[in-house]
Amino acid sequence: MIIYAIDDEKNALEYITRKIKSAEPDAEVYGFDNAAQALESAKTLPFDVAFMDIQMPEIDGITLAKKFKKINPKANMIFVTGYSEYTMDAFAVDASGYLLKPATKEQVRHALDNLRYPLSVPGGPDVCIQCFGDFEIFVNQKPVHFKYAKSKEVIAFLIDRKGALCSNAEVIVNIWDDDDDHSAYYRSLMKDIHDTFEELGVGDIFNRERAGASIITEKIRCDYYDYLKGTPDGINAYKGEYMLQYSWAETTGAALYDEY
């Protein structure tokens, strides 16, 4: 994760930089005491999150945020300021957070856990799962196509189970609403899923064992999981519909709708 810290006051910049590094030790943190330099850097070194002051000379924080959005519309920007009166201005530019100085490590961590725009999973292709509305799977923003339509439904069921290892019998009885023997077809689906994900370079998101299968949730982005975490992006994505094409998803869909 690449994080920018921007404040024209040296002591304030050093302070927030320390708090960011303490809250997110694995992040690459770049400090700027000049907003124009930060803007120029963003053109060649895109950031995931920027913590910035509002009252700065030459380019104020709100104006800087608008310029950042022209470079990357999905940039996460968190304002860290000594003034509370700019809240509405901050969220008018889709800020991910608004912290009052001096921000604590816990406040910084909370802001990072509740970003408006989810970050891509590091270390490989971006796998994005859409559960709200119709179920879809995207790798690097392109929809995934399987040999068998039921393969996609199996993945949907595993996503619904939130990373739990699901037995083969459990999957079969849920996605086929009859008493026929589907074990041979199911094995073909497992191979289809494995081969498709391997070809796309994301085979590590799918765990297949003799007893069953699961999805490695840490390696994907998912609107349903973001909603359960209470992130702004997840909350905004839910419009009352969940995996509409699958009847077995109605139980989860009803539970979500009751809380909507």
Side-chain angles (χ1 to χ4, degrees):
M1 182 190 301
I2 295 177
I3 300 178
Y4 280 13
I6 309 161
D7 198 311
D8 64 296
E9 297 180 10
K10 183 178 180 181
N11 290 338
L13 177 61
E14 292 177 349
Y15 177 86
I16 191 61
T17 299
R18 287 198 305 272
K19 296 303 177 184
I20 294 169
K21 289 180 177 179
S22 179
E24 187 64 41
D26 294 332
E28 297 179 42
V29 184
Y30 297 86
F32 299 89
D33 60 8
N34 183 292
Q37 291 178 353
L39 182 62
E40 192 63 27
S41 178
K43 296 176 182 177
T44 56
L45 181 65
F47 61 81
D48 296 299
V49 186
F51 288 80
M52 67 183 79
D53 191 14
I54 289 183
Q55 288 195 341
M56 296 186 291
E58 297 182 6
I59 306 177
D60 65 85
I62 301 297
T63 301
L64 180 61
K66 293 177 181 177
K67 292 180 180 293
F68 278 147
K69 284 180 70 66
K70 291 182 179 179
I71 299 173
N72 178 11
K74 299 295 186 181
N76 287 291
M77 295 168 290
I78 299 168
F79 292 101
V80 187
T81 178
Y83 305 91
S84 60
E85 61 264 32
Y86 296 106
T87 307
M88 296 304 295
D89 292 331
F91 288 103
V93 292
D94 299 325
S96 287
Y98 193 99
L99 307 179
L100 291 177
K101 294 180 178 180
T104 65
K105 170 187 173 182
E106 291 71 25
Q107 290 172 329
V108 170
R109 183 66 262 168
H110 183 267
L112 290 172
D113 287 338
N114 293 275
L115 297 174
R116 177 178 291 271
Y117 304 110
L119 305 181
S120 299
V121 178
D126 176 32
V127 182
C128 181
I129 305 294
Q130 174 187 300
C131 296
F132 297 151
D134 286 331
F135 178 79
E136 296 292 346
I137 309 168
F138 300 93
V139 173
N140 293 334
Q141 301 182 346
K142 295 180 180 179
V144 175
H145 299 288
F146 296 95
K147 180 179 180 180
Y148 304 106
K150 278 287 186 183
S151 298
K152 180 178 174 182
E153 185 173 358
V154 170
I155 295 299
F157 184 82
L158 298 179
I159 290 291
D160 182 76
R161 293 307 189 264
K162 297 177 291 190
L165 181 67
C166 299
S167 70
N168 299 325
E170 179 185 2
V171 179
I172 290 172
V173 75
N174 276 277
I175 67 171
W176 278 286
D177 189 21
D178 56 44
D179 296 325
D180 295 340
D181 183 5
H182 298 283
S183 55
Y185 187 18
Y186 178 72
R187 288 193 294 271
S188 296
L189 299 183
M190 290 291 101
K191 185 178 186 305
D192 183 27
I193 294 169
H194 174 271
D195 292 350
T196 301
F197 282 158
E198 284 293 328
E199 185 177 343
L200 292 170
V202 295
D204 58 346
I205 74 169
F206 180 56
N207 173 45
R208 181 186 179 188
E209 302 180 14
R210 177 183 292 272
S214 63
I215 289 293
I216 309 302
T217 58
E218 309 87 62
K219 296 182 178 293
I220 65 172
R221 294 190 295 122
C222 175
D223 52 3
Y224 173 43
Y225 297 166
D226 288 338
Y227 179 88
L228 295 177
K229 293 175 185 176
T231 68
D233 204 63
I235 297 298
N236 293 333
Y238 181 62
K239 306 299 181 185
E241 299 176 332
Y242 176 82
M243 294 193 188
L244 292 176
Q245 67 265 57
Y246 305 130
S247 59
W248 51 259
E250 291 175 359
T251 300
T252 302
L256 288 170
Y257 192 79
D258 287 343
E259 299 176 357
Y260 183 43

